[in-house]
Amino acid sequence: MAVQEASMAGAQATQAATQAGMTSTFAATQSGTWAVMAIGSVALPAGIFLGMAIAKD
């Protein structure tokens, strides 16, 4: 009985750790995605203006 309870507690701890890891991974992925999108949204107009400036010369 004690072995079964210990196994159950171990399984629950493993599941909790897995969920915490997945949550932090998802949060990091979302942060990275938003950072890339922000950089892209700034770089696109800058590239357009730079291209127009070079084309005028």
Side-chain angles (χ1 to χ4, degrees):
M1 190 68 168
V3 173
Q4 186 178 10
E5 288 177 7
S7 294
M8 184 62 105
Q12 288 175 345
T14 301
Q15 186 178 16
T18 301
Q19 288 178 343
M22 288 171 52
T23 301
S24 63
T25 301
F26 180 72
T29 302
Q30 287 291 83
S31 298
T33 301
W34 283 110
V36 169
M37 287 175 60
I39 291 168
S41 67
V42 170
L44 179 63
I48 291 171
F49 287 117
L50 186 61
M52 289 170 53
I54 291 171
K56 285 185 180 178
D57 290 342

